[in-house]
Amino acid sequence: MLVELLLSALPVALPQEGDDPVGRATIYHLDSIETLNGDALSNASILVRDGIIERIGASLMVPEHAKVVDLRGTGATAMPPLVVSHASFFPSESRGRGRYGQYRAVDAVHPDEESLQELRELGVLFVGVDPPGSGIPGRTSVLRSDSKNFLDDAVVRDLHLKLSIDMSKTAKELLRKALEDGDKAIEKEKKAFVDWEKARKEWKEKQEAKKKAEAEAAKNGKAEDKPATSAQEGKGGNGDKGKNGDGKEEKAPSETFEAPKMDPSLTPIVEWIRKERVAHIWLDSPGEWLHWKEIIGERELAWEVVLYHTTSTNFHEVVEDIAKSGVRVYAPSRISFLPSTRVRNNLPLVLTQAGVKNLVLMPTSPNNVQAVKDWRVGLSDLVREGLDRNAVLKAISIEPAKAIGQEETVAPLTAGGPATFVITDGDPLNPFSEVVYMVASGEVLYDREKDKEN
Amino acid sequence: MTAFTRIVLWACASAALPLFAQPAVAMNAWPQDPPKEEVQQPPVEEVEEAEPEEVQEAEEEAAPKKSAPSPYLAVVGGDVYTVTRGVIAGGTVLCKNNRILKVGQNIQVPEGARVIDAVGMRVYPGLVAVNSRGIIRGNGTEARDSFDPFNLMVDLGLASGLTTVQSSLAIGKLTRGTLEGHLLATADWVNLSLSGSSPSSKRKLRAQMDEAREYLRQLRDAELAQKLGEKDVKMPDEKKAPQEHLGLLTGERMARFNASNAKDLLAICEFLEEYPMKSVIFGGLEAWTYASRLGRVGASVVVTPRQKRWADENLNRESGWSIENARILWEHGVEVVILPSQTSISLGGLAGRDLMNLPMEAAFAIRGGLPQDAALRAVTINAAHILGVADRIGSIEPGKDADLIICNGDLFDYRTFVEWAVVNGREVYDKQRATYFAHIRPRPETEPTTPLETLVEVLDDMDETDSKSQDVDVPEVEPQDG
């Protein structure tokens, strides 16, 4: 009895297994919380109830029956989960360069459980999956790392239009032609709409005229009016003279506009031109940036740029122009070198200094899950060499979440916000840190201890 | 040789040539004289009067350069090696947009112009490399879509003084940082082969040339008959004539040969004597042995002064290489173009014999007796001429493209570096900011505003003596090689 009283008086209660009432709370006691909404909190707790962060801060009262996860003293740090904006590492169909706008990633990519498990272990909740191929390979889809079947479980099946370019006439021609064809398709549709409207208007006028004539005929009851009515109908119709005049042979235009059929590979291009879809252009050199700008010219389109490069790059040559464009920029999390030198180049830092606002950091390669495993190594280098630590944390979690439309799930950790976070056993950017828990809407998706047991 | 003798010889040579090829051959016959397009150019003052229109047209054509606060760029105070109009000591090259506006001394620099202080330096037109590899890619008009304006090779090319290179059919400028103005033209050579080809191929070539010539003869006769009022004159069918060969005979196109040994060069000379046309010969290692004949047929020769081949002692004539090759050819009126043995920019391999060392290759020709100004022509205007773009590049003249290099010494001195390069009126290279060269003998820092301010003050003082006109008198300069 005495022991029970003492235990209840303690601010930290032990978890009570088996008691799982609806609306039960869980409290996580942590050494640090990177809320990404102002300063980090030290020695603080997150109280979760019904998938929502009920309270967050230091010295929280533990509610009765709350499940308590006390990780203090282990370096435990919580932050919003990681989001990989672009991934091509899942098994997929093989496809070359071409216009494959009709395909979504879900149609061609087959996520494997092993990779998904690794993503969970690394604290990644969402992953943007790219369609295979280059040129206009198709549309991206979004997957949660606890998914089983991609097609059914995809959070978003049809997101961005992926585009890529290289410095060749063929590559540029592919994009130019797609835009030209898109313009033509839009024009064709516009013309069809105008024709339909005209046909509807004429049809309505004719019908009204007919009714009027019939009403007058009925009113006057004169047989000589009938020929005049027939002549009037013939005038307003499609030249179907000789018909019996009752309009039965004429087909009424449909009440709703039916757009002409479009080449499915062109559909997302047309949506892009209409600003209904965002395109992601993949570039691997500053020269390609110029070629891309030349292709789109003065068009106002919705697009974001993926600066995909290997160990060396001179993208810094065009950062001001990129910043001026105001687009969201995706960059690999690595210190690169100036070409043919060992001069170190922190491109993400240069981008932010140039004024890029919406920076998203990606693992160094989208093609290998190993790059996700090594992500923290690259990130720590970026911070060591000048990039703001808080900006890095945002650029791997809440910023990519916004980019793939998951900002309501992966958001700064605040009271009232979604209880979606990842807990590491140290600084999240320390390459040696490991993920202890990943929680999504209050539900534990990954528990290192349980995982080890399994 | 006096000027009078030259004129007489020129007249004789012209008269002896078939009607259809006169312009082509006459142009190349006397490289000591300015080429045709230079001869036809009006005096400098007249060019300047015509210039504003040209510049305006260029402005309209050019895409707006939002980043450029002023359309002017002035290279001030350097010794200007114009190539075609001698050297202007302490001169100024004023560029507007992508063209050279004025060249000379005492030129007023418009306010706001970007000024390059070239005092103590030498200003040359950008060098022109034919047959390059690896700097620009693509073919013909496709080159623009394949051009990487941030490529390392572009940086190294500019650092080496190159501003225009030809690769395959494309003639492209090293427009670092932009695609605008990259593609200058498409090379329009007709490749002909007489060396190593079978007798039947040679017979076929001659038959095609004869066919083209016959067409032109029939055309001339028909046109003459029309002029004389004859009715029902039947015009020859142009479609049946071999078009490439027709272009060669009319002087619209240039023949390109590859030949190094004397035997092949002799075959080319015989061919050109029979079918006069504009021509360029790549290789030309033993060209010095047939220099006078090559001069008479008006062929241009692309040589590599350091390329060696030992003489064949079994032959009862001169053979093998000679360091005097370029000099001998030049003395016999052959237009000489210089090229290193490796026509790419090499980061390994035969260091010193690649396009980064084009001036050094020319320096070896100078060592063999080629005058320095002729060597400069060989890497600028002559190269531009065989590419058919001498009206745009290759010399510093008002109206031409603003492609300049500013060197910290004699171009042919092994210690010289390019300090700045300007392409289409844009500063595209500054050694002080170049990753690979900034640390080597950096030039002394100067206050960025001082040169312009000082210059404006000086010019204001000078203007007081001649305040009526702000136009600049470009001094009359005698061509050095005339």
Side-chain angles (χ1 to χ4, degrees):
Chain A
M1 187 65 186
L2 182 64
V3 175
E4 281 180 20
L5 280 170
L6 282 171
L7 279 173
S8 61
L10 282 171
V12 179
L14 294 172
Q16 297 171 34
E17 294 294 333
D19 184 11
D20 193 18
V22 175
R24 185 184 155 186
T26 304
I27 189 159
Y28 294 86
H29 294 297
L30 304 156
D31 290 317
S32 179
I33 301 173
E34 302 284 357
T35 62
L36 305 190
N37 183 36
D39 294 335
L41 305 174
S42 295
N43 198 21
S45 306
I46 302 175
L47 177 63
V48 176
R49 192 192 298 272
D50 297 334
I52 302 292
I53 296 176
E54 190 171 277
R55 276 181 286 160
I56 183 166
S59 308
L60 298 187
M61 288 298 291
V62 181
E64 196 177 357
H65 303 303
K67 179 181 175 182
V68 177
V69 181
D70 188 0
L71 298 168
R72 283 174 295 187
T74 63
T77 306
M79 68 169 284
L82 276 56
V83 176
V84 174
S85 60
H86 296 87
S88 309
F89 46 72
F90 296 117
S92 69
E93 291 168 18
S94 176
R95 206 170 280 152
R97 179 160 64 190
R99 189 162 89 191
Y100 303 111
Q102 67 272 38
Y103 295 115
R104 305 164 301 177
V106 285
D107 301 322
V109 179
H110 313 288
D112 56 306
E113 177 50 33
E114 194 180 342
S115 297
L116 291 170
Q117 170 66 16
E118 286 182 348
L119 291 176
R120 290 195 294 273
E121 287 175 16
L122 295 161
V124 175
L125 181 59
F126 290 110
V127 58
V129 184
D130 289 313
S134 61
I136 308 173
R139 293 108 78 183
T140 55
S141 305
V142 178
L143 184 68
R144 251 173 78 131
S145 58
D146 60 337
S147 300
K148 302 294 177 199
N149 182 315
F150 195 14
L151 197 61
D152 296 336
D153 294 352
V155 180
V156 184
R157 293 184 191 183
D158 184 6
L159 192 62
H160 307 307
L161 174 66
K162 183 182 176 183
L163 306 171
S164 70
I165 189 177
D166 59 51
M167 277 168 287
S168 73
K169 191 174 180 68
T170 320
K172 290 183 80 175
E173 204 57 47
L174 183 72
L175 295 183
R176 282 194 200 115
K177 182 81 170 43
L179 282 167
E180 279 173 20
D181 289 350
D183 288 339
K184 282 179 192 166
I186 290 170
E187 279 306 310
K188 189 179 172 186
E189 193 175 303
K190 274 184 190 170
K191 189 177 177 302
F193 183 75
V194 170
D195 291 347
W196 171 80
E197 272 193 327
K198 190 181 169 189
R200 283 292 300 173
K201 192 181 169 189
E202 285 176 355
W203 173 260
K204 279 180 184 170
E205 285 173 357
K206 200 158 61 171
Q207 293 302 310
E208 282 167 13
K210 189 180 167 187
K211 280 179 189 172
K212 197 176 171 185
E214 282 172 356
E216 279 181 12
K219 189 178 173 185
N220 298 333
K222 292 176 183 175
E224 57 266 28
D225 285 347
K226 285 179 183 174
T229 308
S230 300
Q232 202 172 358
E233 281 175 9
K235 209 174 177 182
N238 294 324
D240 50 349
K241 286 178 184 174
K243 289 179 184 174
N244 59 10
D246 57 11
K248 281 180 184 173
E249 288 184 19
E250 284 185 79
K251 195 180 172 186
S254 62
E255 289 190 7
T256 52
F257 173 64
E258 289 172 13
K261 281 187 181 175
M262 195 182 291
D263 173 3
S265 72
L266 200 57
T267 308
I269 309 284
V270 168
E271 290 165 352
W272 177 41
I273 294 171
R274 287 177 169 154
K275 298 179 196 168
E276 294 164 0
R277 184 182 290 278
V278 175
H280 278 195
I281 177 70
W282 287 57
L283 308 174
D284 75 359
S285 74
E288 289 180 2
W289 167 262
L290 296 186
H291 285 283
W292 164 248
K293 293 294 291 293
E294 192 172 81
I295 286 170
I296 56 170
E298 298 297 317
R299 286 171 182 270
E300 287 184 6
L301 301 168
W303 54 277
E304 299 174 355
V305 61
V306 183
L307 305 180
Y308 172 53
H309 62 82
T310 52
T311 49
S312 74
T313 183
N314 51 348
F315 262 125
H316 65 280
E317 300 272 10
V318 290
V319 287
E320 286 179 8
D321 202 22
I322 291 173
K324 209 183 291 177
S325 72
V327 299
R328 178 176 278 121
V329 179
Y330 302 81
S333 310
R334 66 147 44 104
I335 297 288
S336 52
F337 299 104
L338 297 185
S340 299
T341 70
R342 286 290 154 189
V343 177
R344 294 173 77 81
N345 181 19
N346 190 338
L347 181 65
L349 174 63
V350 178
L351 284 163
T352 52
Q353 286 173 338
V356 169
K357 304 284 183 214
N358 307 318
L359 179 68
V360 173
L361 290 170
M362 311 183 292
T364 50
S365 167
N367 302 323
N368 196 327
V369 77
Q370 183 63 40
V372 188
K373 288 182 179 176
D374 296 338
W375 202 358
R376 288 190 173 86
V377 179
L379 294 168
S380 60
D381 277 348
L382 295 179
V383 174
R384 188 182 61 182
E385 300 192 23
L387 191 60
D388 178 64
R389 184 175 174 279
N390 210 37
V392 169
L393 293 172
K394 287 179 180 173
I396 57 175
S397 57
I398 58 176
E399 288 299 331
K402 285 179 199 165
I404 60 171
Q406 301 304 313
E407 65 273 20
E408 289 184 6
T409 310
V410 178
L413 304 182
T414 54
T420 304
F421 51 87
V422 62
I423 300 169
T424 48
D425 60 2
D427 182 344
L429 298 179
N430 186 338
F432 295 99
S433 295
E434 285 187 2
V435 172
V436 184
Y437 282 99
M438 182 154 66
V439 178
S441 302
E443 185 190 346
V444 176
L445 291 190
Y446 175 75
D447 178 341
R448 184 174 63 178
E449 293 306 316
K450 281 190 179 173
D451 192 61
K452 277 180 183 173
E453 286 170 15
N454 295 334
Chain B
M1 187 181 287
T2 65
F4 175 74
T5 316
R6 282 184 195 159
I7 292 165
V8 171
L9 283 173
W10 178 84
C12 294
S14 301
L17 294 169
L19 177 66
F20 312 114
Q22 273 189 25
V25 176
M27 190 191 298
N28 282 344
W30 309 101
Q32 290 92 338
D33 292 337
K36 181 185 169 189
E37 60 270 35
E38 292 156 32
V39 173
Q40 287 184 337
Q41 281 184 353
V44 173
E45 290 78 5
E46 289 178 33
V47 172
E48 288 211 328
E49 283 175 17
E51 182 60 21
E53 283 178 19
E54 290 180 20
V55 172
Q56 198 172 351
E57 282 172 19
E59 282 175 44
E60 287 165 7
E61 287 169 14
K65 292 181 174 62
K66 292 172 187 172
S67 59
S70 165
Y72 294 99
L73 180 144
V75 181
V76 178
D79 294 339
V80 182
Y81 286 70
T82 65
V83 176
T84 48
R85 291 160 194 247
V87 181
I88 301 168
T92 292
V93 183
L94 179 63
C95 311
K96 186 177 181 188
N97 292 327
N98 56 347
R99 301 284 181 89
I100 296 169
L101 187 64
K102 295 178 181 181
V103 186
Q105 293 168 321
N106 307 334
I107 290 177
Q108 184 159 4
V109 178
E111 197 174 341
R114 160 86 177 103
V115 174
I116 294 177
D117 180 5
V119 173
M121 301 202 185
R122 300 187 183 202
V123 184
Y124 300 96
L127 308 185
V128 182
V130 295
N131 232 19
S132 77
R133 288 186 295 116
I135 306 174
I136 63 172
R137 294 189 298 164
N139 202 357
T141 52
E142 291 181 17
R144 194 173 191 280
D145 284 344
S146 309
F147 178 54
D148 181 358
F150 297 104
N151 191 306
L152 172 65
M153 296 303 158
V154 172
D155 281 344
L156 296 180
L158 290 167
S160 314
L162 304 173
T163 56
T164 301
V165 297
Q166 168 255 323
S167 177
S168 189
L169 293 180
I171 304 167
K173 290 194 183 189
L174 304 190
T175 50
R176 192 190 191 284
T178 180
L179 301 172
E180 204 61 48
H182 164 62
L183 187 67
L184 178 60
T186 303
D188 202 20
W189 289 322
V190 178
N191 288 309
L192 298 181
S193 177
L194 290 170
S195 51
S197 55
S198 65
S200 63
S201 301
K202 289 176 185 170
R203 269 200 303 276
K204 188 182 173 189
L205 174 60
R206 285 175 191 278
Q208 286 170 321
M209 294 305 302
D210 287 340
E211 206 179 323
R213 178 180 281 179
E214 181 55 28
Y215 164 79
L216 290 173
R217 189 165 286 140
Q218 287 176 10
L219 181 67
R220 184 189 60 180
D221 290 348
E223 285 174 346
L224 190 63
Q226 277 184 333
K227 277 185 185 174
L228 293 173
E230 284 186 31
K231 291 179 180 175
D232 302 328
V233 177
K234 192 182 175 187
M235 301 300 280
D237 187 356
E238 190 180 349
K239 289 177 185 171
K240 288 182 181 173
Q243 294 303 309
E244 283 191 336
H245 304 78
L246 207 57
L248 291 171
L249 289 179
T250 55
E252 289 165 14
R253 302 188 69 180
M254 182 180 274
R256 176 192 160 136
F257 300 93
N258 285 320
S260 280
N261 65 50
K263 187 182 159 193
D264 294 338
L265 289 162
L266 179 60
I268 292 168
C269 287
E270 287 171 347
F271 179 80
L272 294 175
E273 282 160 0
E274 193 175 347
Y275 307 100
M277 64 183 72
K278 289 194 285 189
S279 59
V280 56
I281 302 168
F282 280 74
L285 192 137
E286 291 184 340
W288 61 280
T289 62
Y290 283 108
S292 62
R293 212 158 165 181
L294 286 165
R296 282 199 298 277
V297 297
S300 303
V301 180
V302 182
V303 297
T304 302
R306 279 185 282 180
Q307 191 180 10
K308 291 183 182 177
R309 177 191 290 165
W310 302 120
D312 186 346
E313 293 176 359
N314 296 319
L315 295 175
N316 188 23
R317 60 169 174 81
E318 287 180 308
S319 62
W321 83 292
S322 169
I323 196 170
E324 296 177 285
N325 190 13
R327 193 263 302 166
I328 295 168
L329 287 167
W330 171 78
E331 282 181 347
H332 286 84
V334 177
E335 185 179 65
V336 175
V337 176
I338 290 172
L339 203 60
S341 58
Q342 199 173 350
T343 57
S344 62
I345 285 177
S346 175
L347 300 177
L350 292 172
R353 294 196 176 193
D354 63 344
L355 271 182
M356 283 188 79
N357 293 277
L358 178 58
M360 276 301 95
E361 199 67 43
F364 274 84
I366 296 169
R367 191 178 185 179
L370 185 70
Q372 195 146 328
D373 56 328
L376 181 57
R377 294 183 72 99
V379 291
T380 54
I381 192 75
N382 290 358
H385 183 226
I386 65 167
L387 293 172
V389 289
D391 58 330
R392 294 278 303 274
I393 59 168
S395 61
I396 301 177
E397 295 174 67
K400 278 199 164 184
D401 291 10
D403 296 353
L404 310 167
I405 54 171
I406 297 99
C407 299
N408 60 11
D410 178 6
L411 179 66
F412 303 110
D413 190 304
Y414 65 93
R415 292 163 295 185
T416 297
F417 276 101
V418 172
E419 290 285 348
W420 290 277
V422 173
V423 175
N424 289 339
R426 278 179 66 243
E427 182 191 309
V428 287
Y429 174 82
D430 177 356
K431 177 175 167 289
Q432 210 77 324
R433 290 186 284 145
T435 309
Y436 310 97
F437 296 94
H439 63 287
I440 308 168
R441 288 194 276 120
R443 60 176 183 265
E445 288 291 339
T446 53
E447 291 293 327
T449 53
T450 305
L452 177 59
E453 287 171 355
T454 310
L455 185 76
V456 171
E457 284 170 20
V458 170
L459 291 173
D460 285 347
D461 294 341
M462 294 171 75
D463 284 349
E464 285 174 14
T465 56
D466 183 16
S467 57
K468 288 181 182 175
S469 171
Q470 288 194 341
D471 287 340
V472 177
D473 294 327
V474 179
E476 197 76 52
V477 182
E478 289 296 326
Q480 286 195 329
D481 54 354

